[in-house]
Amino acid sequence: MAQTSSMKLLGARNMSCIVERMEWNNKMDLIAYGTEKGEVVIQRLNWQKIVTFPTPGEDVRVRSLSWQMDETLLAVGYSNGKVALLDAESGTIISGLIYEDDIKKVYFSKAINSQENLGTYTCNVKDKHRRFLPKLQPMTNIDPCLKTLDQKSFPKGSPCFLVVIMRSGKVHLLLLGALQAGSIDLTQHILHPHEFDVYDVRMNGDCNAIYALLRDGQELILLHFQNQVLQDCMAPMLELATHCAHILETKNYINDTQQCLTEAWETVQLEMDNKLTRYANSQPYGVISAHFLELHVFGFATFEVEEFLFETLSEKGFKKIANSVDLSLSNLQSLVFKQLNGAAINMFYFLNTIAGFGRMSHFFESLISPDVANEAMRACGGFVLKVHELQRTIDTLAYDMKLFHAWMIFTILRLSHQEIPDDLVLTEEENIAMADFICAMEPELDDRSDDEDELDSQSQTPPPARSKFNLERVGQYLDNAYLTQLYPRDPVQLWEEMVTDNECLSNCKLFVPHDVNLSLVQQRDKMFNAIDAVSHKPTESISGSFKVSSTVICNDLPPMEPGEDHRDRDLVTCTYYVNEASRTDMLACTISGQEAMILEFSRAGDECVRCTRITLEPGLFTTSVSEDFCYLRFVDLQFYNESSLSILAQSINAGPGMRPHSFFIQFSLTAALNYSTQHRMGPLVKLSEATVSQSIHDIADGAAFKGLDGFSDMLAVSGSRKVATVLSDRKRKMTIFEMEIEEEEDDTEMSQASFLDISKESVLAGVPDAEKQEA
């Protein structure tokens, strides 16, 4: 006779929309669920909502949810190929990845515990760079609305992999969220790629192999892949991934700083556009320089200049503009000298460390290419030189603008016959610099032929914007285009002259190249491309090291019909658990509507798999079983812990006018050990032929049933939190149970009347308190 499961009702709610995914946090009383609208909601056990993350786009569905072990970090996979890392503690989206295909599942692996001995590399993941590098200043003045979602490393927790499974069969591994630790295309390892579906892909407990549950034609198979690089180089990979995480954070900081630079520069242009550039645009090109130079040298002002100085501008108005421009240029200087220069130095330090790792070929030969790492370091050095070049350009512009502002105030006071303070009187050197600045206000335009002018007049295209006050000297560095005004060569710098005269020095790999024609944006992109090339070696090495060691045939599947949604018809549901105590990897999956298979792979070196095949149907020798328990099919299943499997089953013989009912089954894996078979892992293991199904009703103390009213759709359990959540009523009703209730408690067993109370509570969940009292 079937036993009764000890469960206690904690509450039930009718949800405002359909819930498509659920996942419990294994440490805290937090459950995350995804809705049909693409939203992700995180709430507590008492139904208190912590945070709601909006959908990333229209018609986007939540495909998968996974909590990082013992942390508040949640990985979410969406149907548009996006993977987002959400922090429930801060309520923010901390990272994002974009893939080109629909996502099947995304999850965090268990924490990596690399085995170290005298012959292996000792991984020291402590942040040693904090001893030598100053802490980068926070970017407080960046507009969060304009900030793009960047890829970031895992901010906390033990080191682990993030595994992204695509519906196309491609699987991507990321270590610490920063290092692309290989990928695999499962369609390359099957016989029928046109009759293919991927159900689940899991890393083993040692993080050096994966299990892939697939459909290959009309067979349900499990492929076991081994990876020698993951097995031999886990400690060096952790060291490399740690530095890649620092590099990733520094790249994001550089992008944020460059965005702040652009905003600060736009502020400078806005201040100039208020009065000065508006006046300059009203004059023919070249006239302003001539008029200002005449005013500076001879002291004579034209009628247009006097009108601009006394009617349009005024001394007080110009001082206000001068202060605003000086403040904006000072902000630019701070961003370049402190933030951007500090980030460039940090980047050089991390790349230099990786280049040093590349010289230890015994440990890093399969992970780092020394030549590629050195090239990335040279590209970073070029970026440092470009930052210094931009810094000198801004310093020059700030000096010129300050000089121009002082001269303009001096001129206004002189022409209005007011007293001139002594600090406004320019020295001879400043007068010469002022004359040079006025001459460079409007750079000479490129000579254009008559044919080009005629073509422009025929096409009626507007002429290019003319430079006013030569602000393009700085603005050109923030555009993704080659520089039009190169930084003048300093005659005092002998090294630049030596490099120019000796081509062998400019081509030497020992020196950092200085690309004088590139803008800051181009130099940054060149550095980022060189850094991305560093990660190609570990990706290629790990991807090429995946080898199929065993193919396990689990069961036969019905043929796929053209245009038929086989995902709903196959009813293949799977769950995975790593048992550290017995050093085994446990995988349970439904192989048909009424049969399931529980596989236990040993990691102790004996290469064995234990198989338990169960069925919900009564066996030949089953007696004393209620008719309600005889005709059931699997709906969902999850490992509760290493010794229990939680199963959600649905009746299939409801009579006319009768509402179908469901059962929550707690299946004991310990009681089923006597009915399991052990097999040797070889190139081909046919479990479909070597095993027979055992009815769960015939396993003594094996299954405990709990009746549920209505049709149940989904299950989410947590053995560490001792809770279970059942989704029912077409995924609109969520019911939470407390598990492992003591026998002496009065409400351990639930009758049908209890479920009437659940329904009443669900209805009253959205009713005001006054109406509840009346009810």
Side-chain angles (χ1 to χ4, degrees), residues 356-370:
F357 289 155
R359 296 186 178 184
M360 295 186 288
S361 57
H362 180 71
F363 299 111
F364 290 92
E365 183 178 6
S366 58
L367 301 176
I368 299 176
S369 174

Side-chain angles (χ1 to χ4, degrees), residues 613-630:
R613 189 168 174 178
I614 60 175
T615 179
L616 296 178
E617 295 179 332
L620 296 176
F621 305 100
T622 303
T623 58
S624 303
V625 175
S626 173
E627 185 178 356
D628 293 337
F629 299 148
C630 294

